[in-house]
Amino acid sequence: MRLKPALGLLALVALLATGGFGYTKVMARVGSGTPPPSADAASQADLITVSKADKRMQLLRDGKVLRTYRISMGANWDAGHKQQEGDERTPEGRYLIDWRNPKSFAHLSLHISYPNAADTDAAQRANVIPGGNIMIHGLPNGLGLLGPLHHLTDWTDGCIAVTNTEMEEIWSLVPTGTPIEIFPGSQSL
């Protein structure tokens, strides 16, 4: 009878899904280790720019590019500015890095100050929740080995993702309070 192998396969899939979910929950609580120290102030970025169309983030200081990173974004990044919670869009506009989380579900994270007052007002007028917790972050804890592959798809809920190694560098180069400008189109410096 063919039903038994199908049930066994279904049980295996359920077990793997449950284990994966549990692993992710545990790793979110554990965090990803000690964050790197901050770079000296003269080496730190004073602006972050993001070109959604180019899938590129740059750290700048005094108008000069310090670093450039390939990024992954929200699955609907190309549908425009983030409008509401769950739309999987990445915001557009000028924000700040307003806090950091060394124990996030992903390898380190820097919070982008979305929603601002204009975002909140627009969401209230549309009778929706604007969402929040938009971050620059590495890969989910425990999945760092997937770094080279994470660019193959836009997999976040609206955040900006880089590899874990890149996130450690960004963490050290970007102080809290750094402005971030997110553009829908190409930006070249």
Side-chain angles (χ1 to χ4, degrees):
M1 181 176 201
R2 297 192 106 130
L3 188 56
K4 286 187 180 186
L7 287 175
L9 181 60
L10 185 60
L12 179 61
V13 168
L15 180 64
L16 290 174
T18 302
F21 178 78
Y23 177 77
T24 301
K25 290 296 183 188
V26 168
M27 290 308 289
R29 293 193 185 278
V30 171
S32 53
T34 305
S38 295
D40 63 280
S43 301
Q44 292 180 341
D46 59 14
L47 176 65
I48 302 168
T49 62
V50 174
S51 167
K52 290 170 65 173
D54 296 330
K55 295 188 178 185
R56 182 185 70 221
M57 181 173 70
Q58 294 184 312
L59 307 185
L60 295 94
R61 180 161 186 91
D62 298 325
K64 294 182 180 150
V65 176
L66 298 174
R67 304 283 192 286
T68 300
Y69 305 97
R70 287 178 49 203
I71 60 172
S72 294
M73 294 174 283
N76 290 325
W77 68 269
D78 55 350
H81 177 61
K82 184 162 191 63
Q83 303 292 313
Q84 67 183 46
E85 185 175 69
D87 65 8
E88 295 186 335
R89 296 180 184 187
T90 299
E92 298 168 1
R94 187 174 174 96
Y95 298 93
L96 294 174
I97 301 301
D98 58 354
W99 53 272
R100 51 188 59 228
N101 185 356
K103 294 197 180 269
S104 68
F105 87 98
H107 186 66
L108 307 173
S109 60
L110 301 176
H111 185 259
I112 297 170
S113 63
Y114 174 90
N116 61 25
D119 298 321
T120 301
D121 289 346
Q124 286 177 343
R125 284 192 306 277
N127 200 27
V128 297
I129 298 168
N133 258 354
I134 302 298
M135 314 288 253
I136 300 170
H137 61 68
L139 299 175
N141 291 324
L143 299 178
L145 293 175
L146 298 177
L149 302 175
H150 96 96
H151 298 291
L152 298 178
T153 186
D154 289 298
W155 55 272
T156 78
D157 289 332
C159 295
I160 297 167
V162 295
T163 68
N164 290 355
T165 301
E166 291 168 336
M167 191 60 221
E168 289 175 8
E169 183 176 70
I170 293 163
W171 181 278
S172 71
L173 292 173
V174 175
T176 302
T178 302
I180 178 169
E181 295 177 353
I182 305 170
F183 302 98
S186 295
Q187 296 292 315
S188 58
L189 293 175

